[in-house]
Amino acid sequence: MSNKNSSLVTLPLGLVYEPVHKHLVKQHWNVTFSRQSKMSVAAKRIMARVLDQIRDDDYALRPFYQMRIEDVVEHTGITRRAVYNEVQGAIVELLTTVWYFESPDKKEWRGRHLLDTTKEETAGYKDSIITIPLNPALADYFINVAHYTSYELTQYMRLKSWYSMRFFEILSAFKDTGFWEVDIEDYRLLMDCGPVLDKRRQPKKDKDGQVLMKYPLVKDLILRTSTEPLAELADTDVAFTMKTISETGRTLRGRPKIVRLRFELVHKQQNRIPDSWLNNPTTKSIIERLRSWKVTDKNIARCAPTLGREGVLKILHEWDLKATHPTDRINSKEKYCNTALTRAAKQVLDQQKAEALEVRQELQLGLFGEADETN
């Protein structure tokens, strides 16, 4: 007999469409640099899988987005028994996530839920398929985004710390400059380490009326938020180093106060062709050939150092062969050649990372072997 007072709702549909992942997440600049409440890694992964399905030419949000549970929990080490509890908790977090908007003059303040709970196919899972309906009122933050941060999904989905994910999102926006410098107070908010808020989102205070802060000591703030990202991002394209910047002109005794943090990317992304390449007759000739195939200067600058001269020439030779082939010609140079060049560079980088990992593992095995012999 059914319970008339039951709070159960209609379960979401099974797999309605086959998810197509472009493996590149575009996140609105305002979302990246907003104050995000700390949530589970599983919840962040679900949202990344949603954003990954939004196409550049989409003009509206889907009624809902779907993904397989295994695509969310891969590389997490979660046991099969705990998977559904983990996913259920992550969906509850997303259901309670609210985005807040305030006018510059602070005369208007509004809040909107991230997910849409008004539809019959609400957020949930069924038959190992997760269904996520985004709030259509937030479409401007997901569709035809002009100012965005982009990052590769593959690297992002391997991260196991919320702080690492936040660093990955933010540092991806600074690949062109090679560094991110931020005030301590702004850093606090970005890492969700500002004032501790109550249920009404008002700052909590101690018995003396002082606002309670998460990690009030700056040294604790830095240590707690950066230790995991430094380690987890070391093998990604946003690996970084960090240094503190102290106040100047201090007249009081004692150690100067840390006021800013600077994060330097290990691998600065090059977005323009260096003059030295254009001044060299050999490399200039190669650049002109790439340009004739409609490859952008940005992709030339980024991919050429990875592929090397021989690698680029090999690709150009393949394109020349296609140009004379009766059935295998390239229809759109701009689309095909830019994609082919960046994909080839990514394959080289992936191979280099795999080889570096193999060498590191061999060294570790060697060290353990030596320890065994001494014992």
Side-chain angles (χ1 to χ4, degrees):
M1 180 183 295
S2 62
N3 182 358
K4 292 182 179 180
N5 296 322
S6 174
S7 61
L8 292 177
V9 298
T10 303
L11 287 173
L13 301 174
L15 186 63
V16 175
Y17 66 93
E18 184 66 32
V20 176
H21 302 289
K22 61 182 185 294
H23 299 291
L24 181 69
V25 176
K26 287 186 177 180
Q27 184 168 283
H28 197 290
W29 189 276
N30 289 348
V31 177
T32 300
F33 292 96
S34 65
R35 176 176 181 177
Q36 297 183 17
S37 297
K38 189 176 180 181
M39 60 174 58
S40 68
V41 171
K44 295 283 284 181
R45 284 166 169 260
I46 289 174
M47 277 305 299
R49 282 292 185 188
V50 169
L51 296 177
D52 177 48
Q53 295 180 52
I54 298 177
R55 296 164 53 91
D56 292 340
D57 56 355
D58 282 348
Y59 61 89
L61 292 173
R62 283 181 178 269
F64 48 81
Y65 293 86
Q66 294 187 311
M67 67 208 72
R68 292 178 173 81
I69 284 181
E70 58 262 32
D71 291 335
V72 172
V73 299
E74 61 180 349
H75 308 303
T76 61
I78 300 174
T79 62
R80 183 179 296 273
R81 182 177 299 178
V83 162
Y84 287 97
N85 287 338
E86 188 75 18
V87 170
Q88 184 179 12
I91 294 174
V92 170
E93 287 183 271
L94 294 175
L95 282 167
T96 57
T97 297
V98 178
W99 286 7
Y100 299 96
F101 304 87
E102 187 174 41
S103 62
D105 60 7
K106 300 185 181 301
K107 292 184 177 180
E108 184 176 359
W109 182 92
R110 297 181 184 275
R112 290 192 184 277
H113 280 279
L114 173 61
L115 302 191
D116 185 359
T117 60
T118 64
K119 298 175 182 175
E120 184 177 358
E121 292 81 26
T122 188
Y125 62 78
K126 179 182 180 181
D127 298 331
S128 298
I129 301 299
I130 299 172
T131 299
I132 298 293
L134 293 176
N135 187 343
L138 298 174
D140 289 344
Y141 292 90
F142 302 112
I143 301 296
N144 295 320
V145 179
H147 304 288
Y148 58 85
T149 301
S150 62
Y151 50 87
E152 288 191 16
L153 185 68
T154 304
Q155 295 182 1
Y156 186 79
M157 295 296 280
R158 291 180 180 274
L159 302 177
K160 299 178 181 179
S161 158
W162 183 86
Y163 290 125
S164 296
M165 289 177 153
R166 285 297 285 141
F167 265 86
F168 196 95
E169 295 168 8
I170 294 170
L171 292 177
S172 293
F174 295 96
K175 289 181 181 178
D176 55 342
T177 63
F179 71 93
W180 172 42
E181 194 168 304
V182 59
D183 290 336
I184 283 291
E185 295 311 312
D186 290 338
Y187 179 78
R188 278 189 177 280
L189 297 180
L190 289 171
M191 293 296 123
D192 193 29
C193 294
V196 179
L197 305 179
D198 59 22
K199 293 182 179 180
R200 300 181 301 123
R201 292 190 62 80
Q202 298 301 310
K204 290 184 178 181
K205 297 181 180 180
D206 60 18
K207 60 182 181 180
D208 297 323
Q210 298 297 315
V211 173
L212 294 173
M213 302 288 288
K214 187 174 182 180
Y215 309 138
L217 297 179
V218 173
K219 64 176 183 178
D220 289 340
L221 169 71
I222 297 172
L223 181 66
R224 298 276 187 167
T225 58
S226 65
T227 300
E228 289 174 319
L230 276 166
E232 283 202 77
L233 302 185
D235 293 326
T236 72
D237 56 9
V238 289
F240 67 95
T241 59
M242 179 187 67
K243 69 176 182 179
T244 59
I245 300 174
S246 301
E247 61 183 345
T248 57
R250 181 184 175 91
T251 57
L252 300 175
R253 292 183 178 180
R255 182 175 298 177
K257 180 181 177 183
I258 297 174
V259 293
R260 295 177 68 80
L261 298 174
R262 183 180 175 94
F263 304 92
E264 297 272 359
L265 291 177
V266 175
H267 311 290
K268 182 179 178 180
Q269 193 175 70
Q270 192 162 272
N271 289 317
R272 61 178 296 276
I273 297 174
D275 294 336
S276 58
W277 295 9
L278 296 171
N279 293 332
N280 183 301
T282 303
T283 54
K284 180 181 179 181
S285 174
I286 295 174
I287 291 169
E288 289 176 348
R289 289 180 63 187
L290 287 169
R291 284 172 170 173
S292 71
W293 284 98
K294 305 299 182 182
V295 179
T296 64
D297 284 6
K298 183 178 181 179
N299 282 334
I300 294 173
R302 289 183 178 182
C303 300
T306 300
L307 294 168
R309 190 176 301 178
E310 291 185 2
V312 174
L313 289 173
K314 180 181 178 182
I315 291 176
L316 285 169
H317 179 65
E318 293 173 356
W319 294 348
D320 289 338
L321 292 177
K322 284 182 177 291
T324 59
H325 197 280
T327 60
D328 195 26
R329 291 185 179 180
I330 298 172
N331 295 323
S332 173
K333 289 183 178 180
E334 184 173 7
K335 183 177 180 180
Y336 177 87
C337 296
N338 280 284
T339 301
L341 193 74
T342 54
R343 183 182 293 125
K346 184 179 184 303
Q347 289 175 347
V348 171
L349 288 173
D350 288 344
Q351 180 63 29
Q352 291 174 349
K353 289 177 182 178
E355 292 174 353
L357 179 61
E358 186 176 344
V359 170
R360 186 157 61 245
Q361 289 174 338
E362 289 178 355
L363 288 173
Q364 290 173 343
L365 288 173
L367 289 173
F368 287 128
E370 290 176 5
D372 290 341
E373 291 176 5
T374 58
N375 291 332

